[in-house]
Amino acid sequence: MLNLQSLILPQAGRYLAPLSCSSSISRRSSMAPPILSLALPSGTGRVLSIQSHTVQGYVGNKSAIFPLQLLGFDVDPINSVQFSNHTGKQLYITSVSQLRAPIYICMRKWDGAGYPTFRGQVLDGQQLWDLIEGLEANGLLFYTHLLTGYIGSVSFLNMVFQVVDKLRSINPDLIYVCDPVLGDEGKLYVPQELVSVYKKVVSVASMLTPNQFEVEQLTGLRITSEQDGLEACNLLHATGPSKVVITSLLVDDTLLLIGSHQKTKGEAPKQFKIVIPKIPAYFTGTGDLTTALLLGWSNKYPDNLERAAELAVSSLQALLHRTVDDYKAAGFDPQSSSLEIRLIQSQDDIRLPQVTYFAEKYT
């Protein structure tokens, strides 16, 4: 297992007293108690998670942080947006540059999916960098993993590219897990210009977790078969990430997860699929949760992406079935609207999943 303490302590010592700090700040730093997630790191790692946040419900960071903590990670969140509730799957944020302040208020024609309105704030690229500089000034910028999810503006996504460079200047072994949240079911959730920026960000990712629509946007390849999915994974490997997981792919009315791990550049990747039974309901936060679970289990099984995916899918399916059952118990038809996942109630399935879905390797 990686000895995080031997890596982290020299870095922490180096950043506790930056040369630019005043002597008074340096004295306060020398007297401050240690940051235990650095001085006594967990055996798994320390994650910086940059995603959306909702006050109510589980999407973005709310869907990712708790599972990662259950799997043993220290997690520091940065909220790319902060909303009262989720926005509905067919709504996206326009460019922050069009706003006078980072406050977003939306009313939409309610179609029964989710909530009729939401309110909140949007972080821009400079505000993200301010937070990164604040962490660096206090010796807090050593992370083993970076996780990114929903990002609603070009300036913010461009800054993520710089954040990766900054984090890898401190820890060259940083693992970057990127969920390129662009849209689903043929529709974008984000401005079109984010697609080209994501192609640049993908090049520095360690693991990529797109859905079918997002893979098509990133590769330009129309996916209508399993072979198309495998070819798309190969195209994405060529741009940078060694691990690609297409988290949902619908082929001939069969729902699949397709995984691909290229352990050495230039060599053929090991590829597999997991058949996933379709549940007749729409859930919020499942993509964010899936990516978090893949990060967590891939850390435990770094050379066995199949096993990590089996554990992640098995956890997710147990949670979704519990969610449907609980809505039915409350007298609600789970097919009539989007459902908030039962995350807290499923913690045992996250921590100790019973593997019920298995990978089939492609030859």
Side-chain angles (χ1 to χ4, degrees):
M1 182 177 291
L2 177 67
N3 185 347
L4 295 177
Q5 189 167 1
S6 65
L7 291 172
I8 293 172
L9 289 178
Q11 296 289 348
R14 174 177 149 199
Y15 283 94
L16 279 175
L19 293 177
S20 60
C21 291
S22 67
S23 58
S24 61
I25 293 177
S26 297
R27 285 196 298 272
R28 285 198 299 272
S29 297
S30 65
M31 294 184 293
I35 306 301
L36 291 181
S37 62
L38 294 173
L40 299 174
S42 71
T44 47
R46 187 166 182 251
V47 180
L48 179 63
S49 181
I50 304 176
Q51 302 194 60
S52 61
H53 170 87
T54 59
V55 176
Q56 197 282 327
Y58 294 98
V59 299
N61 270 328
K62 284 281 291 289
S63 187
I65 293 171
F66 181 63
L68 286 170
Q69 290 172 330
L70 286 176
L71 295 177
F73 291 86
D74 287 305
V75 187
D76 291 346
I78 292 178
N79 298 327
S80 58
V81 302
Q82 178 164 272
F83 290 155
S84 55
N85 46 271
H86 74 77
T87 62
K89 62 179 179 178
Q90 296 180 358
L91 192 99
Y92 62 80
I93 302 168
T94 57
S95 172
V96 177
S97 63
Q98 298 173 4
L99 305 175
R100 293 185 178 181
I103 299 174
Y104 196 80
I105 302 173
C106 176
M107 293 288 293
R108 67 183 177 92
K109 184 178 179 180
W110 190 44
D111 57 7
Y115 301 95
T117 184
F118 69 92
R119 297 192 179 204
Q121 299 81 36
V122 178
L123 211 65
D124 64 26
Q126 185 55 54
Q127 291 168 323
L128 169 62
W129 194 248
D130 287 344
L131 294 172
I132 296 299
E133 288 186 325
L135 291 168
E136 183 180 29
N138 289 286
L140 302 175
L141 209 54
F142 186 99
Y143 290 96
T144 58
H145 296 76
L146 171 66
L147 171 61
T148 62
Y150 179 84
I151 292 167
S153 73
V154 170
S155 73
F156 196 100
L157 187 55
N158 275 320
M159 194 59 72
V160 167
F161 193 77
Q162 297 184 42
V163 170
V164 175
D165 279 347
K166 171 64 74 174
L167 295 180
R168 284 189 171 147
S169 73
I170 297 170
N171 176 17
D173 296 323
L174 174 87
I175 295 171
Y176 173 28
V177 178
C178 174
D179 181 5
V181 180
L182 294 169
D184 200 3
E185 298 179 355
K187 296 182 179 180
L188 286 169
Y189 299 165
V190 299
Q192 177 67 47
E193 54 265 33
L194 259 73
V195 176
S196 59
V197 181
Y198 257 119
K199 291 178 180 179
K200 180 178 72 171
V201 173
V202 162
S203 68
V204 297
S206 310
M207 178 191 291
L208 197 66
T209 62
N211 61 32
Q212 182 172 354
F213 174 75
E214 291 157 351
V215 169
E216 293 176 338
Q217 293 293 309
L218 293 172
T219 64
L221 181 65
R222 176 71 173 164
I223 300 176
T224 60
S225 66
E226 292 181 42
Q227 187 57 45
D228 290 341
L230 298 176
E231 178 58 28
C233 289
N234 293 336
L235 291 174
L236 292 170
H237 285 313
T239 67
S242 62
K243 296 178 180 178
V244 178
V245 179
I246 304 177
T247 56
S248 59
L249 177 65
L250 189 62
V251 176
D252 297 329
D253 205 38
T254 299
L255 185 62
L256 305 172
L257 175 148
I258 288 183
S260 186
H261 186 189
Q262 187 180 51
K263 296 184 179 182
T264 305
K265 278 293 182 185
E267 292 187 358
K270 292 185 176 181
Q271 298 179 312
F272 64 92
K273 69 178 178 181
I274 298 177
V275 178
I276 304 171
K278 291 189 292 184
I279 299 174
Y282 175 76
F283 306 89
T284 58
T286 54
D288 310 315
L289 173 58
T290 299
T291 297
L293 293 171
L294 286 168
L295 185 160
W297 290 114
S298 291
N299 187 70
K300 184 171 183 178
Y301 300 101
D303 296 319
N304 192 343
L305 185 58
E306 301 99 309
R307 183 61 175 171
E310 289 172 345
L311 289 158
V313 169
S314 296
S315 283
L316 179 65
Q317 289 298 304
L319 177 148
L320 295 183
H321 283 289
R322 175 174 289 103
T323 299
V324 168
D325 290 344
D326 284 356
Y327 273 101
K328 288 179 178 178
F332 185 81
D333 179 3
Q335 298 186 45
S336 63
S337 181
S338 58
L339 308 181
E340 303 276 12
I341 57 175
R342 298 288 275 173
L343 189 67
I344 305 303
Q345 295 76 11
S346 303
Q347 57 187 284
D348 289 341
D349 295 312
I350 294 169
R351 188 189 297 110
L352 297 170
Q354 180 180 353
V355 176
T356 51
Y357 299 89
F358 298 93
E360 303 173 42
K361 295 182 180 180
Y362 291 103
T363 56

